[in-house]
Amino acid sequence: MVPYFPKQFSRKAISIYLISLAVVSVVFMKHMLKPAFMIIGIVWVLIFFLLSSSYSKKWVEVDGKIFIRKLFLTAIVLRLIWVIFSYIFYTIKTGIPFEFGSSDALAYHEEALWLLEIGWDGTMDYLFSGGSYSDAGYPFYLTLLYSIIGPNIFITRIIKSLLSSFTCIFAYKLAKRNFGEEAGRMAGIFCALCPNLVIYCGMHLKETEMIFLTMAALERADDLLRQKKVSFLNVIVTALLVISLFFFRTVLGAAVVFAIFSAVVFSSTTVMTRWNRIVLVVWAVVAVAIMAGGTIANEAESYWNSRGDNQALKRSHQVSKGVKWAKYATGTVMAPMMFVLPFPTMVDVDEQYNQQMVNSGNFVRNFMGVFVILALFNALFKKKNWRDFSLLGAFIISYLGIVSSSGFANSERFLLPGFPILLIIAAYGISLVDERSYRFVRIWYVIVPIMAIAWAVFKLGSRGFL
């Protein structure tokens, strides 16, 4: 078993990124990334791969409590540095401390300011009396936060950094219970250093809070499933966390409910006792029955029924805007790639600066995809112990499956909530690498740059620039 992220993997990943970026920049020189985004991408790739290899080896034998302390400290320091840098960077580039094209982020901020003015009675009536709850959670959270700290953008992002750092702890605990201590430590470190998870702490979007709630819900549910006696308090906490997700993104909440239900049904007796299974089956049935008759169920059903329509509409819109090849990016094409999407944007096109900013994180996802595939193959066909990991597996497959069949199959924001779970599964996959499976990893070294270069060709070709 490989107990840490090998240096040869990190060096190879860095080399592949630099080669891919160089090839794309030279071949498509007219559409080369701006120097700032190129430097940011290179720095993040170096941080992730060099420090993942160094920390996972250095911390492999430290005491568990000390490891958690080191993990949290690393995560929070990195995020605070980025929050300070991005606040200044965005202000210089856009004139305001918000990301490029910040329509959603700025709207959330201004909405919270308005809700603060109209008072709590008006806020509750505005957010929760219209019959749609799927986007009410974040404005409510921001309004509550602003009522305590004032409309301070910088402090809000510091709080995002704290929540994101706790997310890394949840990832460690989840991976440790499911895949062992070594994989758990790698997973926690991956999340602490993950470019996209850090970068979103400097944005005013809801993804950081949404990922925190998702990971907290899955971690508490996993702990609940493994307890010898069902804790009523843990049931209540888990239920509240799950319910809160429906106020951020209905599909995300539904995926977590499906994952918990799948784990209750499929987990082996080595993970879950018979009495726990009976109690939780009753709880799950009651929970589903309650949700089935309300607005939440209607929203989930509406999203599912319209998945094909919104995909077609988005593709039609892209084609009408000149993105000629977008019509080929259907759910049938995108679904098989859901464990590696989205691809890194290494060309400057359509002023997609936010996508260019996170190209390093998307590359990390592409590169680590091989270890996700190895882990899934091992659980399904080699060790055949998938039942023991059904909570994580059901969540990631259901959520990414729904997104890939919608119009947001390559949307980095919509795919982001699954990233921490993919990093957990990737950590397990790394721990399983042996001489036989390494041959597949070596093939992946060729596939990854092809994906990056092909995506640049698609971006430019679909807009008639080739």
Side-chain angles (χ1 to χ4, degrees):
M1 191 173 196
V2 181
Y4 54 84
F5 189 51
K7 189 176 291 185
Q8 67 188 92
F9 290 168
S10 68
R11 288 176 175 173
K12 187 63 71 173
I14 293 168
S15 299
I16 291 171
Y17 178 80
L18 293 176
I19 291 170
S20 302
L21 183 60
V23 170
V24 170
S25 299
V26 171
V27 174
F28 308 114
M29 193 169 294
K30 290 183 179 179
H31 301 281
M32 185 188 300
L33 284 182
K34 288 179 170 57
F37 298 124
M38 198 175 291
I39 293 170
I40 288 171
I42 292 171
V43 169
W44 272 118
V45 166
L46 291 174
I47 287 174
F48 180 84
F49 287 107
L50 289 179
L51 294 187
S52 289
S53 176
S54 175
Y55 289 166
S56 62
K57 186 175 183 179
K58 189 186 300 184
W59 297 346
V60 70
E61 292 184 356
V62 301
D63 179 75
K65 291 182 179 179
I66 295 176
F67 171 77
I68 290 177
R69 197 179 310 137
K70 286 178 176 290
L71 179 65
F72 184 84
L73 185 62
T74 300
I76 191 66
V77 168
L78 195 58
R79 283 154 175 76
L80 290 177
I81 291 172
W82 176 260
V83 164
I84 295 169
F85 167 78
S86 62
Y87 191 95
I88 298 170
F89 179 77
Y90 289 139
T91 301
I92 292 172
K93 292 293 185 179
T94 69
I96 54 176
F98 288 87
E99 64 274 11
F100 303 95
S102 57
S103 56
D104 287 352
L106 198 56
Y108 284 132
H109 174 66
E110 292 176 348
E111 184 178 22
L113 292 178
W114 174 67
L115 292 174
L116 205 58
E117 288 182 4
I118 66 174
W120 282 110
D121 289 341
T123 295
M124 299 303 287
D125 184 61
Y126 171 75
L127 292 177
F128 301 108
S129 65
S132 178
Y133 305 143
S134 62
D135 204 29
Y138 190 58
F140 176 80
Y141 164 78
L142 273 186
T143 305
L144 178 63
L145 195 60
Y146 285 178
S147 69
I148 298 171
I149 66 170
N152 193 306
I153 295 169
F154 187 75
I155 294 178
T156 299
R157 292 176 187 174
I158 290 176
I159 294 172
K160 285 178 181 286
S161 300
L162 286 168
L163 296 178
S164 185
S165 299
F166 280 113
T167 297
C168 302
I169 307 298
F170 298 147
Y172 161 65
K173 291 182 176 181
L174 261 175
K176 176 185 174 181
R177 291 196 208 103
N178 284 271
F179 304 123
E181 183 69 37
E182 290 83 3
R185 295 191 178 199
M186 278 192 280
I189 291 169
F190 290 159
C191 287
L193 303 174
C194 177
N196 292 19
L197 296 182
V198 178
I199 288 172
Y200 270 81
C201 293
M203 298 181 182
H204 234 62
L205 297 169
K206 65 181 179 179
E207 272 65 28
T208 296
E209 288 79 5
M210 197 160 56
I211 292 170
F212 169 81
L213 291 172
T214 301
M215 294 298 289
L218 290 172
E219 193 277 328
R220 285 295 81 203
D222 184 70
D223 181 65
L224 181 62
L225 293 171
R226 295 169 187 274
Q227 288 179 354
K228 292 183 178 179
K229 292 184 179 179
V230 175
S231 166
F232 180 73
L233 178 61
N234 203 358
V235 171
I236 295 299
V237 170
T238 304
L240 290 175
L241 287 168
V242 173
I243 291 170
S244 69
L245 285 170
F246 286 94
F247 293 92
F248 282 78
R249 184 172 295 164
T250 305
V251 174
L252 193 56
V256 173
V257 170
F258 175 74
I260 295 172
F261 192 80
S262 298
V264 169
V265 173
F266 294 113
S267 292
S268 66
T269 54
T270 58
V271 172
M272 190 176 187
T273 65
R274 181 177 297 178
W275 172 244
N276 272 21
R277 196 184 306 275
I278 294 172
V279 171
L280 292 176
V281 164
V282 173
W283 173 75
V285 169
V286 171
V288 170
I290 291 173
M291 289 189 295
T295 304
I296 288 175
N298 294 333
E299 288 188 11
E301 183 181 5
S302 175
Y303 186 94
W304 175 256
N305 291 335
S306 64
R307 69 193 187 284
D309 294 336
N310 66 50
Q311 183 183 63
L313 287 171
K314 184 174 181 181
R315 299 303 171 221
S316 298
H317 174 70
Q318 289 174 325
V319 171
S320 69
K321 297 289 284 184
V323 187
K324 301 174 184 177
W325 298 351
K327 61 184 178 181
Y328 300 113
T330 62
T332 305
V333 173
M334 305 302 274
M337 299 186 286
M338 64 181 179
F339 296 120
V340 298
L341 290 172
F343 300 124
T345 298
M346 294 183 173
V347 288
D348 185 3
V349 61
D350 290 350
E351 297 184 350
Q352 295 177 339
Y353 299 133
N354 291 322
Q355 292 185 34
Q356 295 169 38
M357 177 88 78
V358 298
N359 82 81
S360 56
N362 292 352
F363 174 82
V364 167
R365 186 164 180 150
N366 299 161
F367 184 85
M368 302 299 271
V370 64
F371 304 112
V372 174
I373 295 170
L374 284 177
L376 294 174
F377 179 85
N378 186 82
L380 291 170
F381 303 110
K382 197 171 181 181
K383 290 188 177 181
K384 297 182 179 180
N385 56 349
W386 61 271
R387 290 164 61 91
D388 295 338
F389 317 131
S390 52
L391 178 73
L392 301 182
F395 169 75
I396 199 65
I397 291 172
S398 61
Y399 181 70
L400 294 184
I402 293 171
V403 173
S404 66
S405 65
S406 72
F408 308 99
N410 198 53
S411 171
E412 187 270 338
R413 275 184 64 187
F414 274 79
L415 292 166
L416 188 65
F419 206 171
I421 301 302
L422 287 178
L423 290 174
I424 289 174
I425 299 172
Y428 177 55
I430 291 167
S431 72
L432 298 172
V433 174
D434 53 23
E435 290 185 11
R436 188 175 181 181
S437 59
Y438 183 62
R439 290 181 296 179
F440 184 56
V441 176
R442 292 179 65 181
I443 296 173
W444 198 255
Y445 292 160
V446 179
I447 295 174
V448 171
I450 291 175
M451 288 192 293
I453 296 168
W455 184 242
V457 172
F458 183 89
K459 281 268 186 182
L460 297 172
S462 63
R463 290 163 175 79
F465 294 140
L466 294 183

